[in-house]
Amino acid sequence: MTKETELPDVFIWANKTDGRKDKLGIELFAITKSSEIFRIDHNEAINHQLFALFLYDIISGVQVDSITGVRVVDYAASEGCQNALPAIKVNDVPVAETIMEYLEYTNDIDLLDLNQIEAKKLLAICARFTDKETNERFYIFKHIRPASVLVGSTVSYTISVGRMEELSSECALKIDPSNQVLVFEDTMFVFNKSKFESMFQYDPVSVAEARKNGKILDERLSIATPTVGQGIEFLCKDNRTLVKRLAKLDPVNMTRDVVEEIIRDYNVDLMTDATNDKLIIMDANDAKKLLDIVEDNFVRGTNGTAYIAKNKKELEPKEDK
């Protein structure tokens, strides 16, 4: 996402949606901390409350932003920006991409069963709005704090007309009404960055560092991947552990000669092209092997067997007694 013209116009979206809100249907989904997705049925009698909770404030907020001159900016460049609405493509956020693909292409999503899923594991609520005439869709996500979840099996009470009673339902939720994340046309508009990063396990600092270090490795080691124009960072981006490892690297002093020496000495299963010009990294598994090389994780035991060192803590010499 390098050009603002690549982004859908959120201001036009707000005005269009405002004029068609009586044509919209709403569905609810629960998302767990492990990114499992479940359907939540609801009584249509509370539709107005749900529209007020999820939709109306986002519409009015974006309309006000249009008047006050708020501009849409790339999420990666939004730190410190004033009067700006950060946006990011769904496919740049691996967890979000997985969730959106499931919501878009799964027809029969299982109903939430709190006998099978602990209520305390709920991370977010998603409202999917569908235009009943055009079938156009958009999504609004809200984060659920653990403290906002009351479970019926715990010591929880309700007070009604001056009378205290035990919470009789399986679970009670308090949903933050603030605007958080809007998704339409494969783009995420982020109104609350901390909620967004928590819901979608997105670490912009690690992503930026991984991208920078990946480019350095690509150039210094002459890396080639199956996707033209993409390097090692592209192969790592769907794996949070690999992204964090790539972000923490110090690749400046790593050379192709050192890498090839380690590949030979430890018989690492990595290939070069026919002319030995390019180091071929096919997938995330190859990327992991290369990171082990750059991190100097290969060691050889006293019996001559090669190992991947998981803890390179230096052993302290024994003190003389």
Short mmCIF file of all heavy atoms in Angstrom, two decimals, residues 98-125:
data_model
loop_
_atom_site.label_atom_id
_atom_site.label_comp_id
_atom_site.label_asym_id
_atom_site.label_seq_id
_atom_site.Cartn_x
_atom_site.Cartn_y
_atom_site.Cartn_z
N THR A 98 -6.43 -14.36 7.82
CA THR A 98 -7.01 -15.67 8.11
C THR A 98 -8.46 -15.54 8.57
O THR A 98 -9.35 -16.28 8.12
CB THR A 98 -6.19 -16.38 9.20
OG1 THR A 98 -4.84 -16.56 8.73
CG2 THR A 98 -6.78 -17.74 9.53
N ILE A 99 -8.70 -14.59 9.45
CA ILE A 99 -10.06 -14.38 9.99
C ILE A 99 -11.01 -13.95 8.88
O ILE A 99 -12.12 -14.47 8.74
CB ILE A 99 -10.04 -13.33 11.12
CG1 ILE A 99 -9.35 -13.93 12.36
CG2 ILE A 99 -11.45 -12.86 11.47
CD1 ILE A 99 -9.10 -12.92 13.46
N MET A 100 -10.58 -13.01 8.04
CA MET A 100 -11.45 -12.49 6.99
C MET A 100 -11.75 -13.56 5.94
O MET A 100 -12.87 -13.64 5.43
CB MET A 100 -10.82 -11.27 6.34
CG MET A 100 -10.78 -10.03 7.25
SD MET A 100 -12.41 -9.56 7.88
CE MET A 100 -13.29 -9.27 6.36
N GLU A 101 -10.76 -14.37 5.60
CA GLU A 101 -11.01 -15.45 4.64
C GLU A 101 -12.05 -16.42 5.19
O GLU A 101 -12.94 -16.88 4.45
CB GLU A 101 -9.70 -16.18 4.33
CG GLU A 101 -8.78 -15.42 3.40
CD GLU A 101 -7.50 -16.20 3.09
OE1 GLU A 101 -7.30 -17.28 3.69
OE2 GLU A 101 -6.71 -15.72 2.26
N TYR A 102 -11.96 -16.72 6.48
CA TYR A 102 -12.93 -17.63 7.09
C TYR A 102 -14.33 -17.03 7.08
O TYR A 102 -15.32 -17.69 6.74
CB TYR A 102 -12.50 -17.96 8.52
CG TYR A 102 -13.24 -19.12 9.13
CD1 TYR A 102 -12.81 -20.42 8.92
CD2 TYR A 102 -14.37 -18.93 9.91
CE1 TYR A 102 -13.48 -21.51 9.46
CE2 TYR A 102 -15.06 -20.00 10.46
CZ TYR A 102 -14.60 -21.29 10.23
OH TYR A 102 -15.29 -22.35 10.77
N LEU A 103 -14.43 -15.76 7.43
CA LEU A 103 -15.73 -15.09 7.45
C LEU A 103 -16.33 -14.96 6.05
O LEU A 103 -17.55 -15.07 5.87
CB LEU A 103 -15.60 -13.71 8.10
CG LEU A 103 -15.36 -13.68 9.60
CD1 LEU A 103 -15.04 -12.26 10.06
CD2 LEU A 103 -16.58 -14.20 10.36
N GLU A 104 -15.48 -14.75 5.07
CA GLU A 104 -15.96 -14.53 3.71
C GLU A 104 -16.39 -15.83 3.03
O GLU A 104 -17.36 -15.85 2.27
CB GLU A 104 -14.86 -13.86 2.88
CG GLU A 104 -14.68 -12.38 3.17
CD GLU A 104 -15.77 -11.53 2.56
OE1 GLU A 104 -16.19 -11.80 1.43
OE2 GLU A 104 -16.23 -10.60 3.23
N TYR A 105 -15.67 -16.92 3.30
CA TYR A 105 -15.86 -18.12 2.48
C TYR A 105 -16.42 -19.33 3.23
O TYR A 105 -16.64 -20.37 2.61
CB TYR A 105 -14.53 -18.50 1.83
CG TYR A 105 -13.99 -17.39 0.95
CD1 TYR A 105 -12.81 -16.71 1.29
CD2 TYR A 105 -14.66 -17.01 -0.21
CE1 TYR A 105 -12.32 -15.68 0.49
CE2 TYR A 105 -14.18 -15.98 -1.01
CZ TYR A 105 -13.02 -15.33 -0.65
OH TYR A 105 -12.55 -14.31 -1.44
N THR A 106 -16.67 -19.21 4.52
CA THR A 106 -17.26 -20.33 5.26
C THR A 106 -18.76 -20.10 5.40
O THR A 106 -19.18 -19.10 5.99
CB THR A 106 -16.61 -20.47 6.64
OG1 THR A 106 -15.19 -20.57 6.50
CG2 THR A 106 -17.13 -21.71 7.35
N ASN A 107 -19.55 -21.01 4.87
CA ASN A 107 -21.00 -20.83 4.87
C ASN A 107 -21.66 -21.20 6.20
O ASN A 107 -22.55 -20.52 6.67
CB ASN A 107 -21.63 -21.65 3.74
CG ASN A 107 -21.23 -21.15 2.37
OD1 ASN A 107 -21.09 -19.94 2.17
ND2 ASN A 107 -21.02 -22.05 1.43
N ASP A 108 -21.22 -22.29 6.79
CA ASP A 108 -21.85 -22.78 8.02
C ASP A 108 -20.88 -22.66 9.19
O ASP A 108 -20.18 -23.62 9.54
CB ASP A 108 -22.30 -24.23 7.85
CG ASP A 108 -23.35 -24.37 6.76
OD1 ASP A 108 -24.28 -23.54 6.74
OD2 ASP A 108 -23.23 -25.30 5.93
N ILE A 109 -20.83 -21.47 9.77
CA ILE A 109 -19.95 -21.25 10.92
C ILE A 109 -20.65 -21.77 12.17
O ILE A 109 -21.83 -21.50 12.41
CB ILE A 109 -19.61 -19.75 11.05
CG1 ILE A 109 -18.80 -19.31 9.82
CG2 ILE A 109 -18.83 -19.48 12.33
CD1 ILE A 109 -18.45 -17.84 9.80
N ASP A 110 -19.91 -22.52 12.98
CA ASP A 110 -20.49 -23.14 14.17
C ASP A 110 -20.99 -22.08 15.16
O ASP A 110 -20.40 -21.01 15.30
CB ASP A 110 -19.44 -24.00 14.89
CG ASP A 110 -19.08 -25.25 14.09
OD1 ASP A 110 -19.88 -25.64 13.23
OD2 ASP A 110 -18.00 -25.81 14.33
N LEU A 111 -22.08 -22.44 15.82
CA LEU A 111 -22.65 -21.57 16.85
C LEU A 111 -21.76 -21.62 18.09
O LEU A 111 -21.24 -22.67 18.47
CB LEU A 111 -24.06 -22.04 17.21
CG LEU A 111 -24.86 -21.19 18.20
CD1 LEU A 111 -25.20 -19.84 17.57
CD2 LEU A 111 -26.12 -21.93 18.62
N LEU A 112 -21.57 -20.47 18.73
CA LEU A 112 -20.77 -20.40 19.95
C LEU A 112 -21.40 -21.25 21.04
O LEU A 112 -22.57 -21.08 21.39
CB LEU A 112 -20.64 -18.95 20.42
CG LEU A 112 -19.86 -18.73 21.72
CD1 LEU A 112 -18.40 -19.12 21.54
CD2 LEU A 112 -19.97 -17.27 22.17
N ASP A 113 -20.63 -22.16 21.59
CA ASP A 113 -21.08 -23.03 22.67
C ASP A 113 -20.14 -22.84 23.86
O ASP A 113 -19.00 -23.31 23.84
CB ASP A 113 -21.07 -24.49 22.22
CG ASP A 113 -21.59 -25.45 23.29
OD1 ASP A 113 -21.87 -24.99 24.41
OD2 ASP A 113 -21.72 -26.65 22.99
N LEU A 114 -20.63 -22.15 24.89
CA LEU A 114 -19.77 -21.84 26.03
C LEU A 114 -19.54 -23.06 26.93
O LEU A 114 -18.80 -22.97 27.91
CB LEU A 114 -20.37 -20.69 26.84
CG LEU A 114 -20.34 -19.35 26.10
CD1 LEU A 114 -21.00 -18.26 26.93
CD2 LEU A 114 -18.92 -18.94 25.74
N ASN A 115 -20.15 -24.18 26.59
CA ASN A 115 -19.80 -25.43 27.26
C ASN A 115 -18.52 -26.01 26.67
O ASN A 115 -17.86 -26.84 27.29
CB ASN A 115 -20.93 -26.46 27.13
CG ASN A 115 -22.16 -26.05 27.91
OD1 ASN A 115 -22.06 -25.60 29.05
ND2 ASN A 115 -23.34 -26.19 27.30
N GLN A 116 -18.19 -25.57 25.44
CA GLN A 116 -16.99 -26.05 24.76
C GLN A 116 -15.86 -25.01 24.76
O GLN A 116 -14.69 -25.37 24.78
CB GLN A 116 -17.33 -26.42 23.30
CG GLN A 116 -18.42 -27.48 23.15
CD GLN A 116 -17.98 -28.83 23.66
OE1 GLN A 116 -16.81 -29.19 23.56
NE2 GLN A 116 -18.91 -29.58 24.24
N ILE A 117 -16.24 -23.75 24.73
CA ILE A 117 -15.27 -22.65 24.68
C ILE A 117 -15.39 -21.81 25.95
O ILE A 117 -16.47 -21.34 26.29
CB ILE A 117 -15.51 -21.74 23.45
CG1 ILE A 117 -15.43 -22.56 22.16
CG2 ILE A 117 -14.51 -20.59 23.41
CD1 ILE A 117 -14.07 -23.16 21.88
N GLU A 118 -14.28 -21.60 26.64
CA GLU A 118 -14.31 -20.76 27.84
C GLU A 118 -14.59 -19.31 27.45
O GLU A 118 -13.95 -18.77 26.55
CB GLU A 118 -12.98 -20.84 28.58
CG GLU A 118 -12.69 -22.18 29.23
CD GLU A 118 -11.39 -22.16 29.98
OE1 GLU A 118 -11.11 -21.13 30.63
OE2 GLU A 118 -10.64 -23.15 29.92
N ALA A 119 -15.53 -18.71 28.15
CA ALA A 119 -15.89 -17.32 27.85
C ALA A 119 -14.70 -16.38 28.01
O ALA A 119 -14.57 -15.39 27.28
CB ALA A 119 -17.05 -16.87 28.75
N LYS A 120 -13.81 -16.69 28.94
CA LYS A 120 -12.65 -15.85 29.18
C LYS A 120 -11.65 -15.87 28.01
O LYS A 120 -10.73 -15.06 27.95
CB LYS A 120 -11.94 -16.27 30.46
CG LYS A 120 -12.72 -15.96 31.73
CD LYS A 120 -12.82 -14.46 31.99
CE LYS A 120 -13.52 -14.16 33.31
NZ LYS A 120 -13.60 -12.70 33.56
N LYS A 121 -11.85 -16.82 27.07
CA LYS A 121 -10.97 -16.89 25.91
C LYS A 121 -11.47 -16.04 24.74
O LYS A 121 -10.83 -15.97 23.70
CB LYS A 121 -10.80 -18.34 25.46
CG LYS A 121 -10.02 -19.19 26.45
CD LYS A 121 -9.78 -20.60 25.92
CE LYS A 121 -8.94 -21.42 26.91
NZ LYS A 121 -8.72 -22.81 26.42
N LEU A 122 -12.63 -15.41 24.92
CA LEU A 122 -13.14 -14.54 23.86
C LEU A 122 -12.28 -13.29 23.76
O LEU A 122 -11.94 -12.66 24.76
CB LEU A 122 -14.59 -14.15 24.16
CG LEU A 122 -15.61 -15.30 24.21
CD1 LEU A 122 -17.00 -14.76 24.52
CD2 LEU A 122 -15.61 -16.09 22.91
N LEU A 123 -11.93 -12.93 22.54
CA LEU A 123 -11.04 -11.80 22.30
C LEU A 123 -11.75 -10.63 21.62
O LEU A 123 -11.44 -9.47 21.87
CB LEU A 123 -9.86 -12.24 21.44
CG LEU A 123 -8.83 -11.17 21.05
CD1 LEU A 123 -8.12 -10.64 22.29
CD2 LEU A 123 -7.82 -11.73 20.06
N ALA A 124 -12.70 -10.94 20.73
CA ALA A 124 -13.33 -9.88 19.96
C ALA A 124 -14.72 -10.30 19.51
O ALA A 124 -15.03 -11.49 19.42
CB ALA A 124 -12.48 -9.50 18.75
N ILE A 125 -15.54 -9.30 19.23
CA ILE A 125 -16.84 -9.50 18.60
C ILE A 125 -16.80 -8.81 17.24
O ILE A 125 -16.35 -7.67 17.12
CB ILE A 125 -17.98 -8.89 19.45
CG1 ILE A 125 -18.09 -9.62 20.79
CG2 ILE A 125 -19.30 -8.98 18.69
CD1 ILE A 125 -18.64 -11.01 20.71
#
